[in-house]
Amino acid sequence: MENDIPFISRRGLINSALGIAAVSSALSSRPLQAKTSAPSPAAGWPFVSMRDYIAALDKAGLVVRIPRIDQDEYEAAALFYRMRDEHGMRGAPTLIFDEVRIDGRWIKGPLLVNESGHLDAECMAFGLAPVSEWPLTRVPYNSYRKARGHVEKILADNGGEYPLIGPTETTAADARCKEVILRGDDIDLTRFAFIKCNPGDAGRYINTSIVFTRDPTYGVNIGTYRCHLRGPREIALNSEPGQTGYRHLMAARDRGEKIARVSIALTCDPYVWMVAGSKMAYSSKGFADELSIAGGLAGRPLKVVRSETNDFMVPAHAEMIIEGEVPLDDLRPEGPYGEMVGYQGKRKERVFWVRVTAVTHRRKPWLMNNFTGAQAGSLMAASHARSFLRLKQAQPTVVDYFDDTRAVGLTCISIRKDKPGRGMEVAQHVAKANFFSKIVVVVDADVDVTDQEQVLAAMGARWQPFGSTEVYESQPALPLDPSTEKMGRGSKIALDATRKWPEENGPSVFPEMNRSLLEKGAPEAFSRVDRQWGELVRNWRAK
């Protein structure tokens, strides 16, 4: 059952009047507590709404709620950066701002930030107990691996494809997203807690939009595209060239159509959110219905309801639906905006925009914001699972795989090396197959691909640039990459950072690592230290 009762985080309320510095100081001085037992699975899954999911995160101690924050002074942005400085991209909590100062006005939220950032949430979304890890100074990537393995099994049991459970239609009277219906002059999107994230941005953004577009051949697509809030009833719609939504709109214009209809869903359940920000719809059988994929991941049908001013069926549990029409022959400037790679993007002169025709929402809607480039996007285990499964099928020596969202474009793969040249073979395969992979690093099975320190150490000690490197001059590339000369085309590099065999001009015997020798030669040393000095190691700041 959906959670409608306001909750107070077990971590307490942090009043923004204390200031960012005080918050940061308190966080850095807080001693880390060891997990003594495995956390319980998240109660309430599969989650009907984002509210249910957030309530489960809060119960697990992963939420910090802040009564008021002044975004005119960019406090919300600075606070999240401080959280990331302290806890990393995948270890920071969810932040909830109950009231936000925007353009001189205090606007009621709540506004959610980092709803999918902590890796324990990867497990919790699927009703799995997160993996307890020690030391807790390391981000728990084994929770991610557990969730990824869970989805891998679902895929394997379904012929390598995501299972589909079609949505069921409900009435407007039973749809939470239609508790309030606004049309005409009653619409004013500026009164909601959409913020300007960074002083360099063009303005306030609705940057967690799930945009519904339609093509007569390929059907409905949902994609996550940012929307610049330019007035009470006008928003820009930035879908990059090559993205499905952009192709739908361009195809409609090429057919001579003057108007395209769209619906935009805000703050849906985590399953719709993870599908909208991925390429899960592509399968060996063609395009799959993304709302059916979300239902398959949740294990139950998604409830949908018809939009007010078009025929799109949208998630009934969404917090808000924005409906509108896109004038296809009137493109307008958009940006600049801080992009996902962590750099300021360019102003664009010709971008589609939406004339808003209706807004429906829950009473006191919960809205989401993404501090793009600093914050993680949606949960990633489900979207990574199929890529990993297919890679292992194509390259059976692969042990682990990770598209590192902390460094966009970096892909790390570990293998159980079985012959000379295998590392480069796998690296080349991934570089050619994975659109997002700009730097592909292949390491041995003893290296944790989620641990950047270990990956860099392997590159320093096992990689020889000459003979273990392949550079591709021009490949399809991420359009948002600021380093490319031509948008959408760039170079790539594949690195074999596995131990070199003699046949690869390596040493006749590759030496063992110092730590491995310690573990083999003194197998009880670490357990003795953990028993005698584990508390000191965990909480040395408090001693």
Side-chain angles (χ1 to χ4, degrees):
M1 180 174 293
E2 185 174 308
N3 175 58
D4 286 316
I5 302 172
F7 61 86
I8 302 297
S9 169
R10 293 191 303 165
R11 295 193 179 194
L13 299 176
I14 300 178
N15 193 318
S16 61
L18 295 175
I20 298 298
V23 172
S24 177
S25 175
L27 288 169
S28 63
S29 63
R30 181 183 299 161
L32 293 169
Q33 299 299 317
K35 295 181 181 179
T36 56
S37 60
S40 300
W45 69 275
F47 302 111
V48 173
S49 71
M50 184 61 70
R51 297 190 189 201
D52 287 342
Y53 167 72
I54 294 296
L57 296 185
D58 180 60
K59 187 176 181 180
L62 299 178
V63 173
V64 172
R65 195 159 193 167
I66 298 171
R68 301 184 106 196
I69 200 154
D70 188 348
Q71 187 57 10
D72 282 349
E73 299 295 334
Y74 298 99
E75 287 183 356
L79 176 56
F80 182 75
Y81 271 95
R82 277 288 184 250
M83 284 286 190
R84 177 173 172 173
D85 291 345
E86 183 70 20
H87 303 287
M89 176 180 276
R90 290 293 180 174
T94 296
L95 303 178
I96 299 183
F97 304 119
D98 289 324
E99 195 172 14
V100 187
R101 191 167 184 256
I102 304 169
D103 293 338
R105 295 181 295 161
W106 286 100
I107 296 179
K108 294 289 186 182
L111 182 65
L112 313 180
V113 170
N114 202 43
E115 80 300 323
S116 304
H118 197 285
L119 283 173
D120 278 359
E122 298 279 357
C123 275
M124 295 171 66
F126 295 104
L128 307 171
V131 178
S132 293
E133 296 196 50
W134 189 90
L136 292 183
T137 52
R138 308 189 80 83
V139 178
Y141 277 92
N142 280 339
S143 288
Y144 153 78
R145 288 189 177 94
K146 183 176 181 179
R148 188 184 65 187
H150 170 79
V151 180
E152 271 189 79
K153 185 177 185 308
I154 292 174
L155 289 163
D157 292 343
N158 195 53
E161 304 295 345
Y162 293 102
L164 305 179
I165 299 179
T168 58
E169 185 175 359
T170 190
T171 65
D174 291 330
R176 292 295 184 90
C177 69
K178 291 185 182 285
E179 290 177 349
V180 178
I181 299 176
L182 304 172
R183 294 176 182 262
D185 291 339
D186 291 334
I187 300 171
D188 184 0
L189 290 173
T190 67
R191 68 184 180 86
F192 296 100
F194 303 118
I195 65 173
K196 183 178 180 181
C197 294
N198 189 286
D201 291 347
R204 296 166 65 183
Y205 272 82
I206 307 169
N207 63 8
T208 56
S209 305
I210 299 175
V211 181
F212 286 66
T213 58
R214 178 181 282 111
D215 182 89
T217 301
Y218 300 107
V220 174
N221 177 74
I222 62 174
T224 303
Y225 313 129
R226 70 173 184 253
C227 297
H228 178 196
L229 178 58
R230 295 204 289 236
R233 286 181 284 174
E234 180 182 328
I235 56 177
L237 176 57
N238 184 74
S239 181
E240 297 289 341
Q243 291 180 316
T244 307
Y246 180 86
R247 293 201 303 268
H248 283 190
L249 296 175
M250 290 298 291
R253 191 171 76 163
D254 292 343
R255 291 192 300 268
E257 298 176 20
K258 299 299 181 183
I259 293 292
R261 306 285 179 179
V262 297
S263 283
I264 301 171
L266 303 182
T267 321
C268 299
D269 70 51
Y271 315 104
V272 173
W273 179 226
M274 69 176 73
V275 171
S278 74
K279 297 294 184 183
M280 293 188 200
Y282 299 96
S283 73
S284 59
K285 301 176 182 178
F287 292 100
D289 174 60
E290 289 166 294
L291 296 184
S292 296
I293 295 174
L297 291 172
R300 51 104 179 111
L302 178 74
K303 287 188 177 181
V304 295
V305 65
R306 191 172 302 276
S307 298
E308 295 290 308
T309 59
N310 60 54
D311 291 330
F312 285 112
M313 305 299 293
V314 294
H317 56 256
E319 294 287 326
M320 179 179 288
I321 305 293
I322 301 171
E323 303 173 22
E325 53 189 27
V326 179
L328 296 172
D329 56 358
D330 179 15
L331 278 66
R332 300 181 177 181
E334 187 270 345
Y337 178 77
E339 304 285 11
M340 63 179 290
V341 290
Y343 291 82
Q344 186 73 41
K346 298 178 181 178
R347 171 185 163 95
K348 301 174 182 179
E349 296 303 324
R350 293 174 56 79
V351 171
F352 290 111
W353 63 280
V354 180
R355 183 184 297 115
V356 179
T357 55
V359 173
T360 71
H361 63 83
R362 296 187 61 157
R363 297 183 184 90
K364 300 180 180 179
W366 292 32
L367 301 175
M368 289 164 45
N369 181 77
N370 189 291
F371 287 111
T372 315
Q375 176 185 335
S378 58
L379 298 170
M380 60 185 176
S383 62
H384 287 187
R386 186 168 60 182
S387 297
F388 186 38
L389 180 64
R390 289 180 173 177
L391 177 59
K392 288 188 292 185
Q393 291 170 342
Q395 297 286 343
T397 62
V398 168
V399 174
D400 205 356
Y401 163 95
F402 188 56
D403 277 325
D404 198 335
T405 53
R406 298 164 297 181
V408 176
L410 175 62
T411 300
C412 300
I413 308 101
S414 62
I415 65 170
R416 192 165 285 107
K417 191 169 177 176
D418 62 343
K419 69 175 185 178
R422 180 69 79 186
M424 182 52 68
E425 177 186 320
V426 173
Q428 290 173 331
H429 175 91
V430 173
K432 294 174 182 177
N434 192 338
F435 171 78
F436 290 99
S437 296
K438 176 179 176 180
I439 305 165
V440 180
V441 182
V442 175
V443 295
D444 294 297
D446 63 329
V447 177
D448 182 349
V449 296
T450 68
D451 190 323
Q452 292 178 343
E453 184 177 294
Q454 289 191 36
V455 172
L456 287 172
M459 291 175 64
R462 305 182 190 184
W463 173 55
Q464 278 295 310
F466 183 76
S468 300
T469 307
E470 182 76 24
V471 176
Y472 301 88
E473 182 178 359
S474 180
Q475 293 283 319
L478 187 67
L480 303 178
D481 184 343
S483 67
T484 57
E485 183 177 352
K486 182 180 179 181
M487 188 176 73
R489 301 291 299 186
S491 58
K492 292 187 174 186
I493 186 169
L495 309 176
D496 174 11
T498 59
R499 291 183 178 89
K500 296 297 164 284
W501 289 17
E503 299 90 335
E504 300 169 308
N505 296 319
S508 57
V509 176
F510 208 101
E512 287 198 63
M513 297 182 68
N514 298 338
R515 179 166 180 148
S516 296
L517 293 171
L518 174 61
E519 291 170 343
K520 292 177 182 178
E524 298 299 321
F526 282 106
S527 59
R528 289 171 61 86
V529 166
D530 291 344
R531 288 194 301 270
Q532 294 185 63
W533 296 294
E535 182 63 26
L536 173 65
V537 173
R538 287 190 294 270
N539 294 317
W540 61 270
R541 290 176 184 269
K543 299 301 180 184

